Amino acid sequence: RLIDWAPEDPEPRRRMIGLLRRSNRMSDLSVAYGELALMLERQGDLEGAAQAYRQLLEANPRNTHARVRFVELYGAAGHERELADDLIVLARQYEQAGAVIEAARTYERLIKAAPDRLDGRQAYCEFLASQRDRETLAAETLALASIHLDRQEPREAQAALERGEVDLAIGNLR
């Protein structure tokens, strides 16, 4: 009833979320977090909206829309580097959905935000290999191997080069 009386007040929704969390009603909890996030976004509270989307993702990690909005809002607030894990998950969700362009853009954003994240580079290389983008794969594989070498991991660097089928002796793809 409080929500009906004050539809733009986030506090009654937060109380309802607390009750839903205790009752373990995950689908209702996801809906409530989504409504709260949208309300806060409309009101201009982008940090609050981002946190509501984050909580929605904890209740429903497969919600691609919530992940997209969280990434956009949290990134706009200057937390781009902290989004690396979410960007990897989002890119993989796009891949699974067959949204190749969105996956590529998300991987590129990941590499720009966290260029030294090995798991992000490796995931991007796997994506490029699946798309048969050999030229970009060669460049990203060399970058991945370089990070390993900077970390004094020559075996991992060699393995990355072998996975990416890069032959440094001729500077070409095999």
Side-chain angles (χ1 to χ4, degrees):
R1 290 184 176 237
L2 286 174
I3 291 172
D4 292 336
W5 291 338
E8 293 302 313
D9 183 0
E11 287 313 309
R13 290 188 195 285
R14 287 187 175 114
R15 281 189 235 136
M16 183 177 69
I17 286 170
L19 294 172
L20 290 170
R21 205 175 319 156
R22 284 191 288 279
S23 70
N24 206 26
R25 293 173 51 186
M26 298 312 271
S27 63
D28 292 336
L29 185 60
S30 293
V31 170
Y33 276 129
E35 290 175 353
L36 177 62
L38 288 171
M39 173 192 298
L40 293 171
E41 200 171 341
R42 275 194 312 270
Q43 293 175 355
D45 181 1
L46 302 185
E47 284 278 339
Q51 292 311 315
Y53 282 121
R54 166 53 76 205
Q55 292 169 316
L56 191 160
L57 289 168
E58 289 171 9
N60 182 1
R62 298 180 63 110
N63 188 321
T64 302
H65 173 73
R67 192 166 309 277
V68 168
R69 293 305 305 143
F70 171 73
V71 163
E72 292 305 316
L73 294 172
Y74 205 62
H79 304 287
E80 193 75 16
R81 186 164 177 77
E82 299 166 33
L83 290 172
D85 291 333
D86 288 287
L87 290 169
I88 292 170
V89 171
L90 182 58
R92 288 184 175 151
Q93 286 177 326
Y94 280 141
E95 276 185 81
Q96 291 171 353
V100 176
I101 293 171
E102 290 84 356
R105 286 182 183 148
T106 304
Y107 278 122
E108 289 165 3
R109 181 175 176 182
L110 165 66
I111 298 304
K112 183 177 179 185
D116 56 342
R117 279 285 300 258
L118 289 171
D119 57 343
R121 282 244 186 228
Q122 182 59 45
Y124 187 34
C125 287
E126 291 167 7
F127 168 74
L128 293 168
S130 75
Q131 298 303 306
R132 308 220 187 317
D133 184 346
R134 295 174 60 81
E135 185 176 316
T136 309
L137 174 59
E140 289 302 324
T141 299
L142 289 172
L144 179 61
S146 175
I147 295 169
H148 280 298
L149 288 174
D150 289 345
R151 295 179 180 190
Q152 305 300 313
E153 300 169 340
R155 287 190 180 118
E156 289 84 354
Q158 181 63 36
L161 292 172
E162 289 170 0
R163 277 192 309 272
E165 297 183 1
V166 175
D167 184 350
L168 292 179
I170 49 177
N172 251 330
L173 291 171
R174 287 188 210 151

